[in-house]
Each structure stands twice: as structure tokens, then as C-alpha cells.
Amino acid sequence: MSNSRREFLKAGMLGGVAAAAGLPSLSIAGDSRKSSKPLDILILGGTGFIGPHMVREALRRGHSVTLFNRGRTNNTLFPDLETIKGDRAGDLEVLGNREWHAVVDNSGYMPQYVQNSASKLAPYAGHYIFISSISAYASFSLPNNEDSPLATMADEDAQEFSWEFYGALKARCERAATEEFDADLLTILRPTFICGPGDHTDRFTYWPVRTSKGGEMFWPGSPQHEIQIIDVRDLANFVVDCVEQRISGTYNTVTPVESYTMGRMLEDCQAVTAADIDPVWVDDAFIESFKSADGGKGVSLPIWHPLTGDAAHVSSVSGERAVAAGLRNRPIRETIRDLMTWWDTLPEERIANARFAMDSEQETEIIAAWKDAKA
Ligand SMILES: NC(=O)c1ccc[n+]([C@@H]2O[C@H](COP(=O)([O-])OP(=O)(O)OC[C@H]3O[C@@H](n4cnc5c(N)ncnc54)[C@H](OP(=O)(O)O)[C@@H]3O)[C@@H](O)[C@H]2O)c1
């Protein structure tokens, strides 16, 4: 290792030393965190949903951020930031031989591309943070922690991405990063459903937006049904904490087990939107049977999932390790409040084309069918 590189990496560690010593430059709660030492951070994919939150948090703490992407997604978002244009599926020579205190790999879905970027960057990066997913676990039939078995797939050489194998591919992406970076220079984060302002999936967003319209509303399962999410800002804060404090290792980034339920979500949605809702709780078995009785149209209920069989513990993924390392989960009511504020700024066309769980026709249909079944 050259002297300059050693000095560079040492500089990267200073933030961590300051944080560990509890110096005022790095106080705990979100908004007041600010680093004493500007770091050079490369983000692979910083313009999707979670990337921009990481970018803003890193900039807010005084770091220097460079983006690497193809220039196709939200490419006017950060006009003042340096963007290295390139496709991670192609030649990575554009990344050159620059040194980075940290690289955040936020767009890794295929193991060979993670392998390529990690091997290209390993000689120059002081720290590699790979954004994985809890989907990387082999099963949710038992509660998972970070040491639980990971998903596998038969086709070890798959060249095409498929959502069917998303989790197994993420697990292999993790392995690819592990092969290129020493354990103390690598962080793997496994988020569950990421929610908050900017979420283009509209999954969690469905519930507060639908609640805001009031009236009789379909709710799945029971108020006691547990769920886990992660606010995108909490994840972004933790990513920047990992960079500054050189936090290595693997962490589930989730809200604590047993901390939140569908019933509490309903309460929070009502409190934020001040809507008058008449909830109709439809039990799991009926929802399942309605799907098949519906000739395939069915209902798709994001965030919520029947807690049975292989998914029995999908809402009991331990987040204790991340909390011990500094992850702070804000109250979900705050997530809902900020989500609604963001939603109200969106153009009409975006709102009209929301990727929602169900439309009002489907909702009326399932409520009517449920009432008939109970009559
Ligand atoms: N949303 C969730 O609930 C959830 C849950 C768990 C984990 N995750 C993980 O979170 C990350 C998703 O973050 P996200 O939604 O912010 O991003 P994303 O939409 O998956 O990625 C978009 C970013 O990556 C860039 N990008 C995409 N393909 C590229 C390529 N071939 N070469 C170079 N850049 C490329 C995009 O820019 P260009 O298009 O301009 O290239 C954009 O900046 C993923 O790793 C996902 O697995 C998400």
C-alpha cells in the first residue's frame, strides 16, 4: 500500500474516531449529525429512490459526493454534483484510478456486476457498502438474524435479472462483494420495505393516501398483524454513519420486531390525514380465497403478507445489531406525515398513474364479497 493511500484511508477513519469518542461534531439524532472530516464518497446509483436521500444526507454532513450512473433516471436531480456516466453492466474504466473513502453500491442486482465494480474499486476504496435486502434470506419460516441462511438458486450463472430470484441474486451479490473486500472494509445492509418521500413503488404509500380519502376502507388481516418497514431517511442516515464511522459487517435495517402493526398504521394514517375511516378488516383466509375466486385478478397487498408457512416470520427480522451500531428509527407517524406532504407535491399525472395495491372498484368488490361471506 502506498503512503498516500495509507494517509487517505487514515483520513477516512478520523470521522469514525470522532464518532466513537462522542465528539460534538457527530451527535446522535438525525438532523444534528454533521461530520468533522469531509470524505469522498462514490455512490453507484444515486438518483433512484433511496440514493437521493443518501446523497442529501452526505452533502448535509459536509462530504463530497460523486455519482456513477447511466444518466437515465432523474438525471437533473443533482446538477451541481459530479456524475461519472457509465453502465455497470459494461466497461468500468471510466471510474479511473481515483481513490474514495467510501463507495455505496446502491444499484447492485446482478452478482457479476457487483463483482466487476467491487474488483475495479477494491484497490482504491477505503470502504464498500452494499445495499442488499432482507429478501436475501433463504426463508422466513423462522425469525432471521444476520447469520441466518441465505437464498440460493440453481442457475449459478444466470445472466438475466429476474424478480423471481431477486433474493438469491442479492445473496450472490453480497458474496461477490465479500470476495473483493476484506471484512473490515465491507458493510452489507439488508433493508426491508423502504418507505418515505420519493418512494416510486407506491407500496406503503397506498395506505395513507387511501386513508386520506375516507369512507369504508378495506384493511387486511387484523389490527394485530405485525409489519416491519424502514424509513428511507433512517436508512440514509445509517449509511452515512457507516461511512463516517467505518462501521463494517452485515446489518438488517428494519423497524424493531413487534414494534408496529397494521392497526397502528391505521391509527397513524388517520391521525395524519384527519380522515374519517370506517375500516373493514378482512381475514387472511378470505383474502387468499378471494384471489383465486377472482379469476387471477386478485389483490396484491404490499407491506402486508399473511404470516404463515415460509413467510410466518417475515415481520420478525431482527434489527438489534443495526440499532446497537447506531440505526435510529423515527416514529412511523412522522414517515406518514412526510410521505403525505411529498405526495401532495406530485403532478396530477403521477398521482393518476400510482402503482397502488387496488383501485376503488376492486376495494368495493372485495368488501362486498367479504360481507356476503359473513352474512
Ligand atoms: N425499495 C425497497 O423497498 C427496497 C428494499 C430493500 C432493498 N432495496 C434495495 O435498494 C436499492 C434500490 O435503491 P433505489 O430504488 O434508490 O435505486 P434503483 O431504482 O434500483 O436504482 C436506480 C439508480 O441506479 C442507477 N442505475 C441503474 N442501473 C444502472 C446501471 N446498469 N449502471 C449504472 N447505474 C445504474 C440509476 O441511474 P440510471 O438509470 O441513470 O443509470 C439510479 O441512479 C437496490 O439495491 C434495492 O435492491 C430496496
Side-chain angles (χ1 to χ4, degrees), residues 45-51 68-73 86-88 106-107 109 131-133 166 170 191-194 200 203:
T47 58
F49 164 35
I50 66 175
F68 172 82
N69 55 51
R70 298 164 302 179
R72 292 187 198 169
T73 307
D87 188 335
R88 60 183 306 165
N106 188 39
S107 54
Y109 294 87
I131 306 298
S132 184
S133 165
Y166 169 66
K170 277 294 204 189
T192 183
F193 292 108
I194 307 170
H200 52 69
R203 293 181 295 191

mmCIF file of all heavy atoms in Angstrom, residues 45-51 68-73 86-88 106-107 109 131-133 166 170 191-194 200 203, ligand 1:
data_model
loop_
_atom_site.group_PDB
_atom_site.id
_atom_site.type_symbol
_atom_site.label_atom_id
_atom_site.label_comp_id
_atom_site.label_asym_id
_atom_site.label_seq_id
_atom_site.Cartn_x
_atom_site.Cartn_y
_atom_site.Cartn_z
ATOM 1 N N GLY A 45 -25.382 4.644 -8.427
ATOM 2 C CA GLY A 45 -26.836 4.760 -8.480
ATOM 3 C C GLY A 45 -27.340 5.666 -7.396
ATOM 4 O O GLY A 45 -27.777 5.197 -6.357
ATOM 5 N N GLY A 46 -27.297 6.951 -7.595
ATOM 6 C CA GLY A 46 -27.724 7.876 -6.538
ATOM 7 C C GLY A 46 -28.975 8.639 -6.890
ATOM 8 O O GLY A 46 -29.360 9.568 -6.172
ATOM 9 N N THR A 47 -29.638 8.241 -7.989
ATOM 10 C CA THR A 47 -30.764 9.062 -8.443
ATOM 11 C C THR A 47 -32.101 8.317 -8.461
ATOM 12 O O THR A 47 -33.061 8.805 -9.042
ATOM 13 C CB THR A 47 -30.473 9.618 -9.862
ATOM 14 O OG1 THR A 47 -30.234 8.508 -10.743
ATOM 15 C CG2 THR A 47 -29.269 10.541 -9.869
ATOM 16 N N GLY A 48 -32.139 7.107 -7.881
ATOM 17 C CA GLY A 48 -33.405 6.367 -7.811
ATOM 18 C C GLY A 48 -34.231 6.851 -6.633
ATOM 19 O O GLY A 48 -34.459 8.053 -6.468
ATOM 20 N N PHE A 49 -34.648 5.932 -5.778
ATOM 21 C CA PHE A 49 -35.456 6.316 -4.608
ATOM 22 C C PHE A 49 -34.571 6.588 -3.391
ATOM 23 O O PHE A 49 -34.577 7.694 -2.832
ATOM 24 C CB PHE A 49 -36.471 5.197 -4.330
ATOM 25 C CG PHE A 49 -37.119 5.227 -2.971
ATOM 26 C CD1 PHE A 49 -37.422 6.432 -2.332
ATOM 27 C CD2 PHE A 49 -37.460 4.034 -2.334
ATOM 28 C CE1 PHE A 49 -38.037 6.446 -1.069
ATOM 29 C CE2 PHE A 49 -38.073 4.040 -1.084
ATOM 30 C CZ PHE A 49 -38.361 5.244 -0.454
ATOM 31 N N ILE A 50 -33.778 5.595 -2.998
ATOM 32 C CA ILE A 50 -33.032 5.783 -1.740
ATOM 33 C C ILE A 50 -31.752 6.585 -1.953
ATOM 34 O O ILE A 50 -31.308 7.285 -1.056
ATOM 35 C CB ILE A 50 -32.767 4.444 -1.016
ATOM 36 C CG1 ILE A 50 -31.838 3.521 -1.784
ATOM 37 C CG2 ILE A 50 -34.057 3.727 -0.727
ATOM 38 C CD1 ILE A 50 -31.500 2.252 -0.981
ATOM 39 N N GLY A 51 -31.192 6.478 -3.173
ATOM 40 C CA GLY A 51 -29.944 7.179 -3.456
ATOM 41 C C GLY A 51 -29.991 8.663 -3.130
ATOM 42 O O GLY A 51 -29.125 9.183 -2.422
ATOM 43 N N PHE A 68 -22.284 7.673 -9.935
ATOM 44 C CA PHE A 68 -21.989 6.866 -11.125
ATOM 45 C C PHE A 68 -23.306 6.264 -11.588
ATOM 46 O O PHE A 68 -23.949 5.503 -10.845
ATOM 47 C CB PHE A 68 -20.993 5.745 -10.784
ATOM 48 C CG PHE A 68 -20.813 4.768 -11.922
ATOM 49 C CD1 PHE A 68 -19.953 5.057 -12.969
ATOM 50 C CD2 PHE A 68 -21.517 3.570 -11.949
ATOM 51 C CE1 PHE A 68 -19.800 4.163 -14.036
ATOM 52 C CE2 PHE A 68 -21.369 2.681 -13.004
ATOM 53 C CZ PHE A 68 -20.505 2.975 -14.052
ATOM 54 N N ASN A 69 -23.733 6.628 -12.778
ATOM 55 C CA ASN A 69 -24.940 6.009 -13.354
ATOM 56 C C ASN A 69 -24.983 6.284 -14.856
ATOM 57 O O ASN A 69 -24.098 6.940 -15.397
ATOM 58 C CB ASN A 69 -26.206 6.496 -12.631
ATOM 59 C CG ASN A 69 -26.319 8.000 -12.624
ATOM 60 O OD1 ASN A 69 -26.202 8.630 -13.663
ATOM 61 N ND2 ASN A 69 -26.508 8.579 -11.445
ATOM 62 N N ARG A 70 -26.036 5.798 -15.491
ATOM 63 C CA ARG A 70 -26.117 5.901 -16.953
ATOM 64 C C ARG A 70 -26.699 7.232 -17.420
ATOM 65 O O ARG A 70 -26.744 7.504 -18.616
ATOM 66 C CB ARG A 70 -26.997 4.765 -17.510
ATOM 67 C CG ARG A 70 -26.451 3.384 -17.237
ATOM 68 C CD ARG A 70 -27.511 2.318 -17.443
ATOM 69 N NE ARG A 70 -28.654 2.577 -16.561
ATOM 70 C CZ ARG A 70 -29.763 1.852 -16.502
ATOM 71 N NH1 ARG A 70 -29.899 0.806 -17.302
ATOM 72 N NH2 ARG A 70 -30.732 2.160 -15.680
ATOM 73 N N GLY A 71 -27.238 8.005 -16.462
ATOM 74 C CA GLY A 71 -27.845 9.287 -16.847
ATOM 75 C C GLY A 71 -29.261 9.129 -17.368
ATOM 76 O O GLY A 71 -29.772 9.989 -18.083
ATOM 77 N N ARG A 72 -29.931 8.033 -16.978
ATOM 78 C CA ARG A 72 -31.301 7.818 -17.474
ATOM 79 C C ARG A 72 -32.356 8.172 -16.438
ATOM 80 O O ARG A 72 -33.478 8.508 -16.780
ATOM 81 C CB ARG A 72 -31.501 6.321 -17.794
ATOM 82 C CG ARG A 72 -30.710 5.838 -18.962
ATOM 83 C CD ARG A 72 -31.122 4.400 -19.274
ATOM 84 N NE ARG A 72 -30.122 3.752 -20.093
ATOM 85 C CZ ARG A 72 -30.109 2.460 -20.348
ATOM 86 N NH1 ARG A 72 -31.032 1.669 -19.852
ATOM 87 N NH2 ARG A 72 -29.155 1.948 -21.098
ATOM 88 N N THR A 73 -32.018 8.037 -15.165
ATOM 89 C CA THR A 73 -33.023 8.207 -14.104
ATOM 90 C C THR A 73 -32.810 9.545 -13.393
ATOM 91 O O THR A 73 -31.717 9.795 -12.878
ATOM 92 C CB THR A 73 -32.884 7.053 -13.070
ATOM 93 O OG1 THR A 73 -32.928 5.810 -13.754
ATOM 94 C CG2 THR A 73 -33.974 7.115 -12.026
ATOM 95 N N GLY A 86 -21.760 6.043 -16.859
ATOM 96 C CA GLY A 86 -21.341 4.708 -17.271
ATOM 97 C C GLY A 86 -22.387 3.686 -16.894
ATOM 98 O O GLY A 86 -23.288 3.961 -16.099
ATOM 99 N N ASP A 87 -22.246 2.517 -17.485
ATOM 100 C CA ASP A 87 -23.184 1.416 -17.237
ATOM 101 C C ASP A 87 -22.440 0.338 -16.482
ATOM 102 O O ASP A 87 -21.396 -0.142 -16.949
ATOM 103 C CB ASP A 87 -23.682 0.887 -18.592
ATOM 104 C CG ASP A 87 -24.803 -0.120 -18.415
ATOM 105 O OD1 ASP A 87 -24.887 -0.761 -17.337
ATOM 106 O OD2 ASP A 87 -25.597 -0.262 -19.358
ATOM 107 N N ARG A 88 -22.949 -0.054 -15.320
ATOM 108 C CA ARG A 88 -22.204 -1.035 -14.544
ATOM 109 C C ARG A 88 -22.239 -2.408 -15.201
ATOM 110 O O ARG A 88 -21.474 -3.295 -14.800
ATOM 111 C CB ARG A 88 -22.661 -1.071 -13.082
ATOM 112 C CG ARG A 88 -24.110 -1.409 -12.856
ATOM 113 C CD ARG A 88 -24.435 -1.338 -11.382
ATOM 114 N NE ARG A 88 -23.533 -2.160 -10.589
ATOM 115 C CZ ARG A 88 -23.382 -2.099 -9.276
ATOM 116 N NH1 ARG A 88 -24.078 -1.230 -8.594
ATOM 117 N NH2 ARG A 88 -22.563 -2.888 -8.647
ATOM 118 N N ASN A 106 -25.533 1.011 -4.513
ATOM 119 C CA ASN A 106 -26.976 1.082 -4.299
ATOM 120 C C ASN A 106 -27.742 0.496 -5.466
ATOM 121 O O ASN A 106 -28.966 0.474 -5.459
ATOM 122 C CB ASN A 106 -27.308 2.581 -4.140
ATOM 123 C CG ASN A 106 -28.719 2.826 -3.728
ATOM 124 O OD1 ASN A 106 -29.253 2.089 -2.922
ATOM 125 N ND2 ASN A 106 -29.318 3.843 -4.296
ATOM 126 N N SER A 107 -27.048 0.052 -6.493
ATOM 127 C CA SER A 107 -27.743 -0.400 -7.708
ATOM 128 C C SER A 107 -27.272 -1.783 -8.124
ATOM 129 O O SER A 107 -27.227 -2.091 -9.312
ATOM 130 C CB SER A 107 -27.511 0.609 -8.834
ATOM 131 O OG SER A 107 -26.112 0.839 -9.010
ATOM 132 N N TYR A 109 -27.838 -5.539 -8.526
ATOM 133 C CA TYR A 109 -28.864 -6.585 -8.589
ATOM 134 C C TYR A 109 -28.299 -7.874 -9.171
ATOM 135 O O TYR A 109 -28.876 -8.935 -8.974
ATOM 136 C CB TYR A 109 -30.040 -6.135 -9.465
ATOM 137 C CG TYR A 109 -30.826 -4.977 -8.897
ATOM 138 C CD1 TYR A 109 -30.446 -3.658 -9.151
ATOM 139 C CD2 TYR A 109 -31.941 -5.200 -8.100
ATOM 140 C CE1 TYR A 109 -31.173 -2.595 -8.628
ATOM 141 C CE2 TYR A 109 -32.673 -4.143 -7.577
ATOM 142 C CZ TYR A 109 -32.281 -2.837 -7.850
ATOM 143 O OH TYR A 109 -32.997 -1.797 -7.317
ATOM 144 N N ILE A 131 -25.879 -2.287 -0.673
ATOM 145 C CA ILE A 131 -27.284 -2.281 -0.260
ATOM 146 C C ILE A 131 -27.937 -3.563 -0.771
ATOM 147 O O ILE A 131 -28.188 -3.729 -1.968
ATOM 148 C CB ILE A 131 -28.053 -1.047 -0.797
ATOM 149 C CG1 ILE A 131 -27.331 0.254 -0.412
ATOM 150 C CG2 ILE A 131 -29.489 -1.060 -0.265
ATOM 151 C CD1 ILE A 131 -27.196 0.536 1.071
ATOM 152 N N SER A 132 -28.176 -4.469 0.149
ATOM 153 C CA SER A 132 -28.801 -5.738 -0.188
ATOM 154 C C SER A 132 -30.278 -5.656 0.168
ATOM 155 O O SER A 132 -30.915 -4.607 -0.002
ATOM 156 C CB SER A 132 -28.077 -6.857 0.563
ATOM 157 O OG SER A 132 -28.592 -8.114 0.204
ATOM 158 N N SER A 133 -30.835 -6.717 0.733
ATOM 159 C CA SER A 133 -32.262 -6.749 1.060
ATOM 160 C C SER A 133 -32.513 -7.908 2.016
ATOM 161 O O SER A 133 -31.785 -8.913 1.971
ATOM 162 C CB SER A 133 -33.052 -6.973 -0.226
ATOM 163 O OG SER A 133 -34.374 -7.351 0.062
ATOM 164 N N TYR A 166 -34.794 -12.495 -7.153
ATOM 165 C CA TYR A 166 -34.228 -11.257 -6.601
ATOM 166 C C TYR A 166 -33.402 -11.529 -5.336
ATOM 167 O O TYR A 166 -32.259 -11.099 -5.208
ATOM 168 C CB TYR A 166 -35.374 -10.277 -6.313
ATOM 169 C CG TYR A 166 -35.012 -9.054 -5.507
ATOM 170 C CD1 TYR A 166 -34.143 -8.086 -6.012
ATOM 171 C CD2 TYR A 166 -35.572 -8.835 -4.239
ATOM 172 C CE1 TYR A 166 -33.835 -6.946 -5.269
ATOM 173 C CE2 TYR A 166 -35.267 -7.704 -3.504
ATOM 174 C CZ TYR A 166 -34.393 -6.765 -4.014
ATOM 175 O OH TYR A 166 -34.085 -5.648 -3.283
ATOM 176 N N LYS A 170 -29.456 -11.224 -4.810
ATOM 177 C CA LYS A 170 -28.888 -10.288 -3.824
ATOM 178 C C LYS A 170 -27.876 -11.030 -2.938
ATOM 179 O O LYS A 170 -26.803 -10.491 -2.621
ATOM 180 C CB LYS A 170 -30.000 -9.684 -2.955
ATOM 181 C CG LYS A 170 -30.709 -8.497 -3.590
ATOM 182 C CD LYS A 170 -29.766 -7.314 -3.743
ATOM 183 C CE LYS A 170 -30.451 -5.982 -3.802
ATOM 184 N NZ LYS A 170 -29.541 -4.871 -4.158
ATOM 185 N N PRO A 191 -32.124 -3.957 3.974
ATOM 186 C CA PRO A 191 -33.369 -3.272 4.353
ATOM 187 C C PRO A 191 -34.581 -4.155 4.081
ATOM 188 O O PRO A 191 -34.560 -5.003 3.188
ATOM 189 C CB PRO A 191 -33.411 -2.049 3.423
ATOM 190 C CG PRO A 191 -32.125 -2.044 2.658
ATOM 191 C CD PRO A 191 -31.548 -3.412 2.731
ATOM 192 N N THR A 192 -35.638 -3.891 4.849
ATOM 193 C CA THR A 192 -36.946 -4.436 4.487
ATOM 194 C C THR A 192 -37.631 -3.390 3.609
ATOM 195 O O THR A 192 -36.942 -2.576 2.985
ATOM 196 C CB THR A 192 -37.760 -4.778 5.758
ATOM 197 O OG1 THR A 192 -38.985 -5.353 5.345
ATOM 198 C CG2 THR A 192 -38.022 -3.565 6.640
ATOM 199 N N PHE A 193 -38.961 -3.375 3.542
ATOM 200 C CA PHE A 193 -39.657 -2.388 2.706
ATOM 201 C C PHE A 193 -39.179 -0.984 3.067
ATOM 202 O O PHE A 193 -39.314 -0.559 4.218
ATOM 203 C CB PHE A 193 -41.165 -2.433 2.956
ATOM 204 C CG PHE A 193 -41.821 -3.688 2.483
ATOM 205 C CD1 PHE A 193 -42.276 -4.627 3.396
ATOM 206 C CD2 PHE A 193 -42.003 -3.926 1.132
ATOM 207 C CE1 PHE A 193 -42.909 -5.784 2.970
ATOM 208 C CE2 PHE A 193 -42.625 -5.085 0.693
ATOM 209 C CZ PHE A 193 -43.079 -6.015 1.616
ATOM 210 N N ILE A 194 -38.670 -0.283 2.082
ATOM 211 C CA ILE A 194 -38.201 1.079 2.329
ATOM 212 C C ILE A 194 -39.355 2.037 1.994
ATOM 213 O O ILE A 194 -39.988 1.895 0.946
ATOM 214 C CB ILE A 194 -36.959 1.404 1.467
ATOM 215 C CG1 ILE A 194 -35.874 0.330 1.676
ATOM 216 C CG2 ILE A 194 -36.420 2.785 1.802
ATOM 217 C CD1 ILE A 194 -34.707 0.412 0.703
ATOM 218 N N HIS A 200 -41.006 5.438 -5.295
ATOM 219 C CA HIS A 200 -41.695 5.279 -6.573
ATOM 220 C C HIS A 200 -42.458 3.960 -6.653
ATOM 221 O O HIS A 200 -43.131 3.689 -7.634
ATOM 222 C CB HIS A 200 -40.709 5.408 -7.742
ATOM 223 C CG HIS A 200 -39.501 4.527 -7.623
ATOM 224 N ND1 HIS A 200 -39.578 3.169 -7.732
ATOM 225 C CD2 HIS A 200 -38.204 4.812 -7.364
ATOM 226 C CE1 HIS A 200 -38.370 2.653 -7.568
ATOM 227 N NE2 HIS A 200 -37.512 3.631 -7.333
ATOM 228 N N ARG A 203 -45.894 1.391 -2.557
ATOM 229 C CA ARG A 203 -46.400 0.266 -1.768
ATOM 230 C C ARG A 203 -46.937 0.738 -0.421
ATOM 231 O O ARG A 203 -48.134 0.690 -0.175
ATOM 232 C CB ARG A 203 -45.291 -0.788 -1.595
ATOM 233 C CG ARG A 203 -44.940 -1.440 -2.918
ATOM 234 C CD ARG A 203 -43.881 -2.478 -2.772
ATOM 235 N NE ARG A 203 -42.614 -1.917 -2.341
ATOM 236 C CZ ARG A 203 -41.476 -2.580 -2.336
ATOM 237 N NH1 ARG A 203 -41.450 -3.834 -2.719
ATOM 238 N NH2 ARG A 203 -40.352 -2.011 -1.949
HETATM 239 N N1 LIG B 1 -37.366 -0.202 -2.322
HETATM 240 C C1 LIG B 1 -37.290 -1.092 -1.366
HETATM 241 O O1 LIG B 1 -38.245 -1.303 -0.599
HETATM 242 C C2 LIG B 1 -36.014 -1.881 -1.189
HETATM 243 C C3 LIG B 1 -35.959 -2.824 -0.162
HETATM 244 C C4 LIG B 1 -34.766 -3.496 0.071
HETATM 245 C C5 LIG B 1 -33.650 -3.220 -0.696
HETATM 246 N N2 LIG B 1 -33.715 -2.314 -1.696
HETATM 247 C C6 LIG B 1 -32.509 -2.046 -2.475
HETATM 248 O O2 LIG B 1 -32.341 -0.636 -2.548
HETATM 249 C C7 LIG B 1 -31.705 -0.324 -3.786
HETATM 250 C C8 LIG B 1 -32.680 0.445 -4.609
HETATM 251 O O3 LIG B 1 -32.437 1.755 -4.492
HETATM 252 P P1 LIG B 1 -33.184 2.789 -5.433
HETATM 253 O O4 LIG B 1 -34.633 2.470 -5.542
HETATM 254 O O5 LIG B 1 -32.766 4.093 -4.959
HETATM 255 O O6 LIG B 1 -32.459 2.569 -6.795
HETATM 256 P P2 LIG B 1 -32.806 1.803 -8.128
HETATM 257 O O7 LIG B 1 -34.041 2.417 -8.684
HETATM 258 O O8 LIG B 1 -32.725 0.347 -8.040
HETATM 259 O O9 LIG B 1 -31.505 2.225 -8.920
HETATM 260 C C9 LIG B 1 -31.525 3.379 -9.565
HETATM 261 C C10 LIG B 1 -30.152 4.010 -9.589
HETATM 262 O O10 LIG B 1 -29.156 3.154 -10.145
HETATM 263 C C11 LIG B 1 -28.702 3.664 -11.398
HETATM 264 N N3 LIG B 1 -28.526 2.524 -12.285
HETATM 265 C C12 LIG B 1 -29.454 1.579 -12.598
HETATM 266 N N4 LIG B 1 -28.931 0.687 -13.443
HETATM 267 C C13 LIG B 1 -27.642 1.074 -13.682
HETATM 268 C C14 LIG B 1 -26.588 0.544 -14.474
HETATM 269 N N5 LIG B 1 -26.750 -0.552 -15.225
HETATM 270 N N6 LIG B 1 -25.402 1.178 -14.464
HETATM 271 C C15 LIG B 1 -25.224 2.300 -13.723
HETATM 272 N N7 LIG B 1 -26.184 2.839 -12.944
HETATM 273 C C16 LIG B 1 -27.392 2.226 -12.934
HETATM 274 C C17 LIG B 1 -29.829 4.594 -11.827
HETATM 275 O O11 LIG B 1 -29.414 5.614 -12.687
HETATM 276 P P3 LIG B 1 -29.516 5.437 -14.280
HETATM 277 O O12 LIG B 1 -30.842 4.836 -14.590
HETATM 278 O O13 LIG B 1 -29.390 6.837 -14.756
HETATM 279 O O14 LIG B 1 -28.381 4.572 -14.666
HETATM 280 C C18 LIG B 1 -30.234 5.199 -10.487
HETATM 281 O O15 LIG B 1 -29.328 6.178 -10.074
HETATM 282 C C19 LIG B 1 -31.478 -1.602 -4.535
HETATM 283 O O16 LIG B 1 -30.217 -2.110 -4.293
HETATM 284 C C20 LIG B 1 -32.564 -2.499 -3.909
HETATM 285 O O17 LIG B 1 -32.261 -3.866 -4.058
HETATM 286 C C21 LIG B 1 -34.886 -1.644 -1.964
#
